[in-house]
Amino acid sequence: MTFDPHATSMGDEVAPEVYEELFAMRASIDNFDAALVHILAERFRATQRVGVLKAQHNLPAGDPGREEAQIARLRSMAKEANLDPEFAEKFLNFIISEVIRHHEHIAAHHLSEAPETLEDAVSSSEKTA
């Protein structure tokens, strides 16, 4: 699948030098988006392992104390980075809700199949999540 980095609906009324800078900035944004996707994938692989451990030891899918601490930590980092802390909190809350959903799925489905190892459970969960 290919994407046109010069796709736009702004028409010919924009000066070529403006388009040049716009497309250069969009290329950077595209690179950041790609990095975010790969970082999120790695993060979710780690949280899948946590979900398996929680399910194996009959722990709850969510951990409100941990979640609260993470939100406070992320808000602080966002302030230091000049990123809107409210946006950062909303973003993390969305991620947390997805992680909890995955943990509930792991507990309900995959461990009932009694995988041989933690890696088997994570691998099975990644295929269906």
Side-chain angles (χ1 to χ4, degrees):
M1 182 182 302
T2 60
F3 298 96
D4 181 3
H6 297 100
T8 184
S9 59
M10 289 186 267
D12 295 331
E13 65 273 1
V14 179
E17 62 273 8
V18 173
Y19 270 136
E20 185 177 323
E21 184 175 357
L22 177 67
F23 294 145
M25 293 307 302
R26 285 181 177 174
S28 291
I29 291 166
D30 291 349
N31 288 335
F32 294 133
D33 289 345
L36 282 170
V37 166
H38 289 282
I39 288 169
L40 284 170
E42 287 297 317
R43 188 187 195 288
F44 273 91
R45 277 190 273 286
T47 60
Q48 293 287 67
R49 293 181 66 83
V50 169
V52 170
L53 287 169
K54 286 181 173 183
Q56 286 176 332
H57 297 281
N58 203 28
L59 298 170
D63 184 345
R66 164 75 174 163
E67 294 155 19
E68 184 179 321
Q70 282 298 90
I71 289 168
R73 179 176 163 266
L74 196 71
R75 285 184 68 91
S76 176
M77 287 190 304
K79 286 178 189 175
E80 291 173 13
N82 293 316
L83 178 68
D84 179 2
E86 287 184 37
F87 168 76
E89 183 174 346
K90 288 177 188 176
F91 182 71
L92 186 59
N93 277 326
F94 175 73
I95 291 172
I96 289 170
S97 69
E98 284 299 297
V99 167
I100 290 171
R101 187 177 66 81
H102 288 189
H103 289 184
E104 290 169 345
H105 182 79
I106 290 167
H109 297 98
H110 298 288
L111 290 179
S112 63
E113 299 168 6
E116 293 291 319
T117 66
L118 178 64
E119 288 75 21
D120 291 342
V122 169
S123 175
S124 176
S125 177
E126 288 173 349
K127 291 176 187 170
T128 60

mmCIF file with all atom_site columns, all heavy atoms in Angstrom, residues 31-52:
data_model
loop_
_atom_site.group_PDB
_atom_site.id
_atom_site.type_symbol
_atom_site.label_atom_id
_atom_site.label_alt_id
_atom_site.label_comp_id
_atom_site.label_asym_id
_atom_site.label_entity_id
_atom_site.label_seq_id
_atom_site.pdbx_PDB_ins_code
_atom_site.Cartn_x
_atom_site.Cartn_y
_atom_site.Cartn_z
_atom_site.occupancy
_atom_site.B_iso_or_equiv
_atom_site.pdbx_formal_charge
_atom_site.auth_seq_id
_atom_site.auth_comp_id
_atom_site.auth_asym_id
_atom_site.auth_atom_id
_atom_site.pdbx_PDB_model_num
ATOM 1   N N   . ASN A 1 31 ? 6.763  10.490  9.522  1.00 0.00 ? 31 ASN A N   1
ATOM 2   C CA  . ASN A 1 31 ? 7.787  9.713   10.229 1.00 0.00 ? 31 ASN A CA  1
ATOM 3   C C   . ASN A 1 31 ? 7.446  9.582   11.706 1.00 0.00 ? 31 ASN A C   1
ATOM 4   O O   . ASN A 1 31 ? 7.612  8.510   12.297 1.00 0.00 ? 31 ASN A O   1
ATOM 5   C CB  . ASN A 1 31 ? 9.167  10.354  10.051 1.00 0.00 ? 31 ASN A CB  1
ATOM 6   C CG  . ASN A 1 31 ? 9.711  10.183  8.659  1.00 0.00 ? 31 ASN A CG  1
ATOM 7   O OD1 . ASN A 1 31 ? 9.343  9.255   7.935  1.00 0.00 ? 31 ASN A OD1 1
ATOM 8   N ND2 . ASN A 1 31 ? 10.587 11.085  8.259  1.00 0.00 ? 31 ASN A ND2 1
ATOM 9   N N   . PHE A 1 32 ? 6.962  10.668  12.309 1.00 0.00 ? 32 PHE A N   1
ATOM 10  C CA  . PHE A 1 32 ? 6.555  10.595  13.717 1.00 0.00 ? 32 PHE A CA  1
ATOM 11  C C   . PHE A 1 32 ? 5.400  9.616   13.894 1.00 0.00 ? 32 PHE A C   1
ATOM 12  O O   . PHE A 1 32 ? 5.372  8.834   14.851 1.00 0.00 ? 32 PHE A O   1
ATOM 13  C CB  . PHE A 1 32 ? 6.132  11.973  14.248 1.00 0.00 ? 32 PHE A CB  1
ATOM 14  C CG  . PHE A 1 32 ? 7.248  12.976  14.317 1.00 0.00 ? 32 PHE A CG  1
ATOM 15  C CD1 . PHE A 1 32 ? 7.063  14.250  13.818 1.00 0.00 ? 32 PHE A CD1 1
ATOM 16  C CD2 . PHE A 1 32 ? 8.470  12.665  14.894 1.00 0.00 ? 32 PHE A CD2 1
ATOM 17  C CE1 . PHE A 1 32 ? 8.077  15.196  13.887 1.00 0.00 ? 32 PHE A CE1 1
ATOM 18  C CE2 . PHE A 1 32 ? 9.505  13.596  14.971 1.00 0.00 ? 32 PHE A CE2 1
ATOM 19  C CZ  . PHE A 1 32 ? 9.298  14.866  14.458 1.00 0.00 ? 32 PHE A CZ  1
ATOM 20  N N   . ASP A 1 33 ? 4.437  9.659   12.976 1.00 0.00 ? 33 ASP A N   1
ATOM 21  C CA  . ASP A 1 33 ? 3.297  8.739   13.057 1.00 0.00 ? 33 ASP A CA  1
ATOM 22  C C   . ASP A 1 33 ? 3.761  7.288   12.972 1.00 0.00 ? 33 ASP A C   1
ATOM 23  O O   . ASP A 1 33 ? 3.286  6.430   13.719 1.00 0.00 ? 33 ASP A O   1
ATOM 24  C CB  . ASP A 1 33 ? 2.280  9.030   11.958 1.00 0.00 ? 33 ASP A CB  1
ATOM 25  C CG  . ASP A 1 33 ? 1.525  10.326  12.176 1.00 0.00 ? 33 ASP A CG  1
ATOM 26  O OD1 . ASP A 1 33 ? 1.562  10.874  13.298 1.00 0.00 ? 33 ASP A OD1 1
ATOM 27  O OD2 . ASP A 1 33 ? 0.887  10.790  11.208 1.00 0.00 ? 33 ASP A OD2 1
ATOM 28  N N   . ALA A 1 34 ? 4.702  7.014   12.075 1.00 0.00 ? 34 ALA A N   1
ATOM 29  C CA  . ALA A 1 34 ? 5.229  5.653   11.944 1.00 0.00 ? 34 ALA A CA  1
ATOM 30  C C   . ALA A 1 34 ? 5.923  5.224   13.232 1.00 0.00 ? 34 ALA A C   1
ATOM 31  O O   . ALA A 1 34 ? 5.732  4.100   13.716 1.00 0.00 ? 34 ALA A O   1
ATOM 32  C CB  . ALA A 1 34 ? 6.185  5.566   10.756 1.00 0.00 ? 34 ALA A CB  1
ATOM 33  N N   . ALA A 1 35 ? 6.712  6.124   13.809 1.00 0.00 ? 35 ALA A N   1
ATOM 34  C CA  . ALA A 1 35 ? 7.393  5.803   15.066 1.00 0.00 ? 35 ALA A CA  1
ATOM 35  C C   . ALA A 1 35 ? 6.383  5.540   16.179 1.00 0.00 ? 35 ALA A C   1
ATOM 36  O O   . ALA A 1 35 ? 6.544  4.588   16.961 1.00 0.00 ? 35 ALA A O   1
ATOM 37  C CB  . ALA A 1 35 ? 8.340  6.945   15.447 1.00 0.00 ? 35 ALA A CB  1
ATOM 38  N N   . LEU A 1 36 ? 5.341  6.365   16.252 1.00 0.00 ? 36 LEU A N   1
ATOM 39  C CA  . LEU A 1 36 ? 4.300  6.157   17.267 1.00 0.00 ? 36 LEU A CA  1
ATOM 40  C C   . LEU A 1 36 ? 3.641  4.792   17.135 1.00 0.00 ? 36 LEU A C   1
ATOM 41  O O   . LEU A 1 36 ? 3.425  4.098   18.136 1.00 0.00 ? 36 LEU A O   1
ATOM 42  C CB  . LEU A 1 36 ? 3.236  7.250   17.175 1.00 0.00 ? 36 LEU A CB  1
ATOM 43  C CG  . LEU A 1 36 ? 3.574  8.597   17.779 1.00 0.00 ? 36 LEU A CG  1
ATOM 44  C CD1 . LEU A 1 36 ? 2.517  9.626   17.394 1.00 0.00 ? 36 LEU A CD1 1
ATOM 45  C CD2 . LEU A 1 36 ? 3.673  8.483   19.294 1.00 0.00 ? 36 LEU A CD2 1
ATOM 46  N N   . VAL A 1 37 ? 3.327  4.402   15.920 1.00 0.00 ? 37 VAL A N   1
ATOM 47  C CA  . VAL A 1 37 ? 2.686  3.104   15.701 1.00 0.00 ? 37 VAL A CA  1
ATOM 48  C C   . VAL A 1 37 ? 3.596  1.972   16.175 1.00 0.00 ? 37 VAL A C   1
ATOM 49  O O   . VAL A 1 37 ? 3.159  1.052   16.887 1.00 0.00 ? 37 VAL A O   1
ATOM 50  C CB  . VAL A 1 37 ? 2.298  2.921   14.220 1.00 0.00 ? 37 VAL A CB  1
ATOM 51  C CG1 . VAL A 1 37 ? 1.947  1.470   13.915 1.00 0.00 ? 37 VAL A CG1 1
ATOM 52  C CG2 . VAL A 1 37 ? 1.133  3.841   13.869 1.00 0.00 ? 37 VAL A CG2 1
ATOM 53  N N   . HIS A 1 38 ? 4.871  2.050   15.855 1.00 0.00 ? 38 HIS A N   1
ATOM 54  C CA  . HIS A 1 38 ? 5.799  0.986   16.252 1.00 0.00 ? 38 HIS A CA  1
ATOM 55  C C   . HIS A 1 38 ? 6.026  0.985   17.763 1.00 0.00 ? 38 HIS A C   1
ATOM 56  O O   . HIS A 1 38 ? 6.097  -0.081  18.379 1.00 0.00 ? 38 HIS A O   1
ATOM 57  C CB  . HIS A 1 38 ? 7.107  1.108   15.481 1.00 0.00 ? 38 HIS A CB  1
ATOM 58  C CG  . HIS A 1 38 ? 6.955  0.745   14.043 1.00 0.00 ? 38 HIS A CG  1
ATOM 59  N ND1 . HIS A 1 38 ? 6.888  -0.556  13.595 1.00 0.00 ? 38 HIS A ND1 1
ATOM 60  C CD2 . HIS A 1 38 ? 6.805  1.527   12.947 1.00 0.00 ? 38 HIS A CD2 1
ATOM 61  C CE1 . HIS A 1 38 ? 6.714  -0.563  12.294 1.00 0.00 ? 38 HIS A CE1 1
ATOM 62  N NE2 . HIS A 1 38 ? 6.657  0.690   11.867 1.00 0.00 ? 38 HIS A NE2 1
ATOM 63  N N   . ILE A 1 39 ? 6.094  2.154   18.364 1.00 0.00 ? 39 ILE A N   1
ATOM 64  C CA  . ILE A 1 39 ? 6.255  2.238   19.820 1.00 0.00 ? 39 ILE A CA  1
ATOM 65  C C   . ILE A 1 39 ? 5.008  1.687   20.516 1.00 0.00 ? 39 ILE A C   1
ATOM 66  O O   . ILE A 1 39 ? 5.110  0.924   21.490 1.00 0.00 ? 39 ILE A O   1
ATOM 67  C CB  . ILE A 1 39 ? 6.544  3.685   20.257 1.00 0.00 ? 39 ILE A CB  1
ATOM 68  C CG1 . ILE A 1 39 ? 7.970  4.067   19.837 1.00 0.00 ? 39 ILE A CG1 1
ATOM 69  C CG2 . ILE A 1 39 ? 6.349  3.863   21.761 1.00 0.00 ? 39 ILE A CG2 1
ATOM 70  C CD1 . ILE A 1 39 ? 8.280  5.539   19.970 1.00 0.00 ? 39 ILE A CD1 1
ATOM 71  N N   . LEU A 1 40 ? 3.832  2.045   20.017 1.00 0.00 ? 40 LEU A N   1
ATOM 72  C CA  . LEU A 1 40 ? 2.599  1.514   20.610 1.00 0.00 ? 40 LEU A CA  1
ATOM 73  C C   . LEU A 1 40 ? 2.526  -0.005  20.466 1.00 0.00 ? 40 LEU A C   1
ATOM 74  O O   . LEU A 1 40 ? 2.087  -0.706  21.386 1.00 0.00 ? 40 LEU A O   1
ATOM 75  C CB  . LEU A 1 40 ? 1.368  2.174   19.986 1.00 0.00 ? 40 LEU A CB  1
ATOM 76  C CG  . LEU A 1 40 ? 1.076  3.587   20.463 1.00 0.00 ? 40 LEU A CG  1
ATOM 77  C CD1 . LEU A 1 40 ? -0.013 4.224   19.595 1.00 0.00 ? 40 LEU A CD1 1
ATOM 78  C CD2 . LEU A 1 40 ? 0.660  3.595   21.928 1.00 0.00 ? 40 LEU A CD2 1
ATOM 79  N N   . ALA A 1 41 ? 2.961  -0.520  19.334 1.00 0.00 ? 41 ALA A N   1
ATOM 80  C CA  . ALA A 1 41 ? 2.962  -1.981  19.151 1.00 0.00 ? 41 ALA A CA  1
ATOM 81  C C   . ALA A 1 41 ? 3.862  -2.646  20.186 1.00 0.00 ? 41 ALA A C   1
ATOM 82  O O   . ALA A 1 41 ? 3.481  -3.663  20.789 1.00 0.00 ? 41 ALA A O   1
ATOM 83  C CB  . ALA A 1 41 ? 3.409  -2.335  17.730 1.00 0.00 ? 41 ALA A CB  1
ATOM 84  N N   . GLU A 1 42 ? 5.042  -2.090  20.420 1.00 0.00 ? 42 GLU A N   1
ATOM 85  C CA  . GLU A 1 42 ? 5.942  -2.643  21.438 1.00 0.00 ? 42 GLU A CA  1
ATOM 86  C C   . GLU A 1 42 ? 5.328  -2.532  22.826 1.00 0.00 ? 42 GLU A C   1
ATOM 87  O O   . GLU A 1 42 ? 5.411  -3.455  23.633 1.00 0.00 ? 42 GLU A O   1
ATOM 88  C CB  . GLU A 1 42 ? 7.291  -1.920  21.407 1.00 0.00 ? 42 GLU A CB  1
ATOM 89  C CG  . GLU A 1 42 ? 8.144  -2.288  20.221 1.00 0.00 ? 42 GLU A CG  1
ATOM 90  C CD  . GLU A 1 42 ? 8.527  -3.763  20.207 1.00 0.00 ? 42 GLU A CD  1
ATOM 91  O OE1 . GLU A 1 42 ? 8.881  -4.329  21.260 1.00 0.00 ? 42 GLU A OE1 1
ATOM 92  O OE2 . GLU A 1 42 ? 8.440  -4.362  19.116 1.00 0.00 ? 42 GLU A OE2 1
ATOM 93  N N   . ARG A 1 43 ? 4.693  -1.414  23.105 1.00 0.00 ? 43 ARG A N   1
ATOM 94  C CA  . ARG A 1 43 ? 4.053  -1.221  24.409 1.00 0.00 ? 43 ARG A CA  1
ATOM 95  C C   . ARG A 1 43 ? 2.961  -2.267  24.623 1.00 0.00 ? 43 ARG A C   1
ATOM 96  O O   . ARG A 1 43 ? 2.847  -2.855  25.697 1.00 0.00 ? 43 ARG A O   1
ATOM 97  C CB  . ARG A 1 43 ? 3.468  0.192   24.511 1.00 0.00 ? 43 ARG A CB  1
ATOM 98  C CG  . ARG A 1 43 ? 2.948  0.527   25.903 1.00 0.00 ? 43 ARG A CG  1
ATOM 99  C CD  . ARG A 1 43 ? 2.233  1.868   25.924 1.00 0.00 ? 43 ARG A CD  1
ATOM 100 N NE  . ARG A 1 43 ? 2.044  2.379   27.261 1.00 0.00 ? 43 ARG A NE  1
ATOM 101 C CZ  . ARG A 1 43 ? 1.189  1.878   28.147 1.00 0.00 ? 43 ARG A CZ  1
ATOM 102 N NH1 . ARG A 1 43 ? 0.429  0.840   27.847 1.00 0.00 ? 43 ARG A NH1 1
ATOM 103 N NH2 . ARG A 1 43 ? 1.074  2.421   29.356 1.00 0.00 ? 43 ARG A NH2 1
ATOM 104 N N   . PHE A 1 44 ? 2.162  -2.508  23.604 1.00 0.00 ? 44 PHE A N   1
ATOM 105 C CA  . PHE A 1 44 ? 1.086  -3.475  23.750 1.00 0.00 ? 44 PHE A CA  1
ATOM 106 C C   . PHE A 1 44 ? 1.619  -4.903  23.854 1.00 0.00 ? 44 PHE A C   1
ATOM 107 O O   . PHE A 1 44 ? 1.015  -5.736  24.529 1.00 0.00 ? 44 PHE A O   1
ATOM 108 C CB  . PHE A 1 44 ? 0.039  -3.321  22.638 1.00 0.00 ? 44 PHE A CB  1
ATOM 109 C CG  . PHE A 1 44 ? -1.004 -2.298  22.998 1.00 0.00 ? 44 PHE A CG  1
ATOM 110 C CD1 . PHE A 1 44 ? -0.838 -0.969  22.650 1.00 0.00 ? 44 PHE A CD1 1
ATOM 111 C CD2 . PHE A 1 44 ? -2.130 -2.652  23.720 1.00 0.00 ? 44 PHE A CD2 1
ATOM 112 C CE1 . PHE A 1 44 ? -1.775 -0.007  22.997 1.00 0.00 ? 44 PHE A CE1 1
ATOM 113 C CE2 . PHE A 1 44 ? -3.082 -1.709  24.085 1.00 0.00 ? 44 PHE A CE2 1
ATOM 114 C CZ  . PHE A 1 44 ? -2.902 -0.377  23.726 1.00 0.00 ? 44 PHE A CZ  1
ATOM 115 N N   . ARG A 1 45 ? 2.748  -5.197  23.237 1.00 0.00 ? 45 ARG A N   1
ATOM 116 C CA  . ARG A 1 45 ? 3.339  -6.529  23.428 1.00 0.00 ? 45 ARG A CA  1
ATOM 117 C C   . ARG A 1 45 ? 3.718  -6.708  24.905 1.00 0.00 ? 45 ARG A C   1
ATOM 118 O O   . ARG A 1 45 ? 3.503  -7.774  25.475 1.00 0.00 ? 45 ARG A O   1
ATOM 119 C CB  . ARG A 1 45 ? 4.539  -6.727  22.513 1.00 0.00 ? 45 ARG A CB  1
ATOM 120 C CG  . ARG A 1 45 ? 4.144  -7.167  21.113 1.00 0.00 ? 45 ARG A CG  1
ATOM 121 C CD  . ARG A 1 45 ? 5.333  -7.591  20.273 1.00 0.00 ? 45 ARG A CD  1
ATOM 122 N NE  . ARG A 1 45 ? 5.963  -6.486  19.576 1.00 0.00 ? 45 ARG A NE  1
ATOM 123 C CZ  . ARG A 1 45 ? 5.467  -5.876  18.507 1.00 0.00 ? 45 ARG A CZ  1
ATOM 124 N NH1 . ARG A 1 45 ? 4.306  -6.251  18.006 1.00 0.00 ? 45 ARG A NH1 1
ATOM 125 N NH2 . ARG A 1 45 ? 6.124  -4.898  17.924 1.00 0.00 ? 45 ARG A NH2 1
ATOM 126 N N   . ALA A 1 46 ? 4.269  -5.669  25.509 1.00 0.00 ? 46 ALA A N   1
ATOM 127 C CA  . ALA A 1 46 ? 4.635  -5.750  26.931 1.00 0.00 ? 46 ALA A CA  1
ATOM 128 C C   . ALA A 1 46 ? 3.397  -5.879  27.808 1.00 0.00 ? 46 ALA A C   1
ATOM 129 O O   . ALA A 1 46 ? 3.366  -6.686  28.746 1.00 0.00 ? 46 ALA A O   1
ATOM 130 C CB  . ALA A 1 46 ? 5.453  -4.512  27.333 1.00 0.00 ? 46 ALA A CB  1
ATOM 131 N N   . THR A 1 47 ? 2.352  -5.104  27.498 1.00 0.00 ? 47 THR A N   1
ATOM 132 C CA  . THR A 1 47 ? 1.153  -5.182  28.335 1.00 0.00 ? 47 THR A CA  1
ATOM 133 C C   . THR A 1 47 ? 0.415  -6.500  28.135 1.00 0.00 ? 47 THR A C   1
ATOM 134 O O   . THR A 1 47 ? -0.279 -6.949  29.052 1.00 0.00 ? 47 THR A O   1
ATOM 135 C CB  . THR A 1 47 ? 0.203  -3.990  28.105 1.00 0.00 ? 47 THR A CB  1
ATOM 136 O OG1 . THR A 1 47 ? -0.227 -3.957  26.751 1.00 0.00 ? 47 THR A OG1 1
ATOM 137 C CG2 . THR A 1 47 ? 0.869  -2.678  28.482 1.00 0.00 ? 47 THR A CG2 1
ATOM 138 N N   . GLN A 1 48 ? 0.568  -7.131  26.976 1.00 0.00 ? 48 GLN A N   1
ATOM 139 C CA  . GLN A 1 48 ? -0.027 -8.457  26.786 1.00 0.00 ? 48 GLN A CA  1
ATOM 140 C C   . GLN A 1 48 ? 0.603  -9.449  27.768 1.00 0.00 ? 48 GLN A C   1
ATOM 141 O O   . GLN A 1 48 ? -0.081 -10.270 28.363 1.00 0.00 ? 48 GLN A O   1
ATOM 142 C CB  . GLN A 1 48 ? 0.167  -8.953  25.352 1.00 0.00 ? 48 GLN A CB  1
ATOM 143 C CG  . GLN A 1 48 ? -0.591 -8.163  24.309 1.00 0.00 ? 48 GLN A CG  1
ATOM 144 C CD  . GLN A 1 48 ? -2.084 -8.431  24.340 1.00 0.00 ? 48 GLN A CD  1
ATOM 145 O OE1 . GLN A 1 48 ? -2.779 -8.090  25.293 1.00 0.00 ? 48 GLN A OE1 1
ATOM 146 N NE2 . GLN A 1 48 ? -2.586 -9.020  23.289 1.00 0.00 ? 48 GLN A NE2 1
ATOM 147 N N   . ARG A 1 49 ? 1.904  -9.342  27.936 1.00 0.00 ? 49 ARG A N   1
ATOM 148 C CA  . ARG A 1 49 ? 2.589  -10.223 28.884 1.00 0.00 ? 49 ARG A CA  1
ATOM 149 C C   . ARG A 1 49 ? 2.084  -9.966  30.309 1.00 0.00 ? 49 ARG A C   1
ATOM 150 O O   . ARG A 1 49 ? 1.901  -10.898 31.082 1.00 0.00 ? 49 ARG A O   1
ATOM 151 C CB  . ARG A 1 49 ? 4.094  -10.039 28.795 1.00 0.00 ? 49 ARG A CB  1
ATOM 152 C CG  . ARG A 1 49 ? 4.675  -10.507 27.461 1.00 0.00 ? 49 ARG A CG  1
ATOM 153 C CD  . ARG A 1 49 ? 6.179  -10.331 27.410 1.00 0.00 ? 49 ARG A CD  1
ATOM 154 N NE  . ARG A 1 49 ? 6.871  -11.186 28.356 1.00 0.00 ? 49 ARG A NE  1
ATOM 155 C CZ  . ARG A 1 49 ? 7.178  -12.467 28.145 1.00 0.00 ? 49 ARG A CZ  1
ATOM 156 N NH1 . ARG A 1 49 ? 6.842  -13.043 27.010 1.00 0.00 ? 49 ARG A NH1 1
ATOM 157 N NH2 . ARG A 1 49 ? 7.832  -13.152 29.053 1.00 0.00 ? 49 ARG A NH2 1
ATOM 158 N N   . VAL A 1 50 ? 1.871  -8.693  30.638 1.00 0.00 ? 50 VAL A N   1
ATOM 159 C CA  . VAL A 1 50 ? 1.323  -8.349  31.954 1.00 0.00 ? 50 VAL A CA  1
ATOM 160 C C   . VAL A 1 50 ? -0.063 -8.970  32.105 1.00 0.00 ? 50 VAL A C   1
ATOM 161 O O   . VAL A 1 50 ? -0.397 -9.529  33.157 1.00 0.00 ? 50 VAL A O   1
ATOM 162 C CB  . VAL A 1 50 ? 1.269  -6.818  32.155 1.00 0.00 ? 50 VAL A CB  1
ATOM 163 C CG1 . VAL A 1 50 ? 0.454  -6.452  33.391 1.00 0.00 ? 50 VAL A CG1 1
ATOM 164 C CG2 . VAL A 1 50 ? 2.672  -6.234  32.238 1.00 0.00 ? 50 VAL A CG2 1
ATOM 165 N N   . GLY A 1 51 ? -0.868 -8.897  31.059 1.00 0.00 ? 51 GLY A N   1
ATOM 166 C CA  . GLY A 1 51 ? -2.210 -9.473  31.102 1.00 0.00 ? 51 GLY A CA  1
ATOM 167 C C   . GLY A 1 51 ? -2.184 -10.964 31.351 1.00 0.00 ? 51 GLY A C   1
ATOM 168 O O   . GLY A 1 51 ? -3.019 -11.497 32.099 1.00 0.00 ? 51 GLY A O   1
ATOM 169 N N   . VAL A 1 52 ? -1.231 -11.658 30.747 1.00 0.00 ? 52 VAL A N   1
ATOM 170 C CA  . VAL A 1 52 ? -1.101 -13.096 30.968 1.00 0.00 ? 52 VAL A CA  1
ATOM 171 C C   . VAL A 1 52 ? -0.719 -13.367 32.421 1.00 0.00 ? 52 VAL A C   1
ATOM 172 O O   . VAL A 1 52 ? -1.311 -14.241 33.076 1.00 0.00 ? 52 VAL A O   1
ATOM 173 C CB  . VAL A 1 52 ? -0.070 -13.713 29.993 1.00 0.00 ? 52 VAL A CB  1
ATOM 174 C CG1 . VAL A 1 52 ? 0.256  -15.144 30.369 1.00 0.00 ? 52 VAL A CG1 1
ATOM 175 C CG2 . VAL A 1 52 ? -0.591 -13.635 28.562 1.00 0.00 ? 52 VAL A CG2 1
#
